[in-house]
Amino acid sequence: MDTFNALAEPNRRRLLEAIRQEPCTVNMLVTRSDLSQPAVSKHLKYLREAKLVVVKPDGQKRWYSLNPNPLKEIEEFLEPYRQLSLNRLDALEQQDSSAIQKLTQIN
Amino acid sequence: MDTFNALAEPNRRRLLEAIRQEPCTVNMLVTRSDLSQPAVSKHLKYLREAKLVVVKPDGQKRWYSLNPNPLKEIEEFLEPYRQLSLNRLDALEQQDSSAIQKLTQIN
DNA sequence: CGTAAATATACCTATATCGTTATATAACTG
DNA sequence: CAGTTATATAACGATATAGGTATATTTACG
């Protein structure tokens, strides 16, 4: 499971959001999601494979915390696209709001 | 097909890269990839669903060009993660290279 | 008009993955 | 030790999708 695929699943993004806010045990994530415990464990397995989380065992509990480093790959992919939409829209916003309508209704 | 899933497929990312550089017809993309024509057409269908590309028919040709707007969703997702790794590593780089080793070997 | 070119779609097989239930594996607790 | 808690894994069915080949559809051209 690579970074892109790990982020492609909405439940996995939500789990990662929770872990980003603070390290979590599996049970904490089960409580905060509407997923079963095995489902959470499986998603965590994929997040581990993608190295987006690291685990620290503590007795029977496992503390999952974020490793944001792999996200750089996504950032690097997005980099060449940044100049395009965002700046282009920003520039338009300063002059012609009808042109923005035209552009944004594509999306 | 949502934005995240559209980007999860490596061939699709490559097609998008090509389209980003200049608008392309299907045949151009077939030539520049190692995919069959139907495979390219299918990936383009998903990119269209995700609204990452727009098509302009021109005779029998279809010109595919980039619509970067949906990428904002990815940017917004990444936003809260930006402060974490990148800045943290940048800060470390300026003082202690062994600490960087420890951090980066997680990844 | 008949053929070729450009693209899309249908159909098939293989593989991945989602979620669930049941079960295994440790580690605590009394 | 017995039972419970925390987590992981196995096994299963359902669904999605990747790729290929064959074919349909539309447009161009002589």
Side-chain angles (χ1 to χ4, degrees):
Chain A
M1 176 80 48
D2 67 5
T3 317
F4 283 95
N5 274 289
L7 297 181
E9 221 285 328
N11 283 318
R12 228 147 33 214
R13 289 200 295 277
R14 288 185 208 111
L15 292 175
L16 204 63
E17 286 289 309
I19 295 171
R20 174 177 63 78
Q21 313 220 13
E22 58 173 340
C24 294
T25 66
V26 179
N27 250 340
M28 288 167 69
L29 294 168
V30 171
T31 304
R32 294 170 192 189
S33 67
D34 52 354
L35 294 170
S36 67
Q37 178 266 312
V40 169
S41 279
K42 202 190 276 185
H43 283 305
L44 289 172
K45 183 183 178 182
Y46 294 130
L47 291 173
R48 260 183 281 137
E49 281 180 32
K51 302 186 183 178
L52 282 164
V53 297
V54 288
V55 203
K56 189 188 168 200
D58 172 24
Q60 30 181 189
K61 296 180 183 173
R62 302 293 147 96
W63 288 95
Y64 280 85
S65 53
L66 179 71
N67 174 28
N69 291 339
L71 295 176
K72 285 182 202 167
E73 189 189 352
I74 315 279
E75 298 278 7
E76 283 161 19
F77 171 80
L78 290 178
E79 181 62 37
Y81 295 86
R82 291 221 173 94
Q83 272 58 22
L84 303 173
S85 68
L86 313 167
N87 294 357
R88 202 168 278 177
L89 274 184
D90 287 352
L92 281 174
E93 273 170 345
Q94 292 167 353
Q95 38 173 353
D96 180 2
S97 64
S98 73
I100 295 176
Q101 295 293 343
K102 288 181 194 167
L103 261 181
T104 49
Q105 71 190 196
I106 298 171
N107 189 352
Chain B
M1 177 80 46
D2 67 4
T3 317
F4 283 95
N5 274 288
L7 297 181
E9 220 287 325
N11 283 319
R12 229 149 31 215
R13 288 200 296 277
R14 290 185 206 109
L15 292 174
L16 204 63
E17 287 289 309
I19 296 171
R20 174 176 63 80
Q21 313 221 12
E22 58 175 339
C24 295
T25 66
V26 179
N27 251 340
M28 291 167 68
L29 293 169
V30 171
T31 303
R32 296 170 192 190
S33 67
D34 53 353
L35 294 169
S36 67
Q37 178 266 313
V40 170
S41 279
K42 202 191 275 187
H43 283 304
L44 288 172
K45 182 182 178 184
Y46 294 131
L47 290 174
R48 261 183 280 135
E49 282 180 31
K51 302 186 181 177
L52 283 163
V53 297
V54 289
V55 202
K56 189 188 167 198
D58 171 26
Q60 30 179 192
K61 295 180 183 172
R62 302 294 146 94
W63 288 95
Y64 280 85
S65 53
L66 179 71
N67 174 27
N69 290 340
L71 295 176
K72 286 182 203 168
E73 190 189 351
I74 315 278
E75 298 278 7
E76 284 163 17
F77 171 80
L78 290 178
E79 180 62 37
Y81 296 85
R82 290 220 173 96
Q83 271 59 23
L84 302 175
S85 68
L86 313 167
N87 294 357
R88 201 169 280 177
L89 275 184
D90 286 354
L92 281 174
E93 273 169 345
Q94 291 166 352
Q95 38 172 354
D96 179 4
S97 63
S98 72
I100 295 175
Q101 295 293 343
K102 288 181 194 168
L103 261 181
T104 48
Q105 72 189 197
I106 299 172
N107 189 352

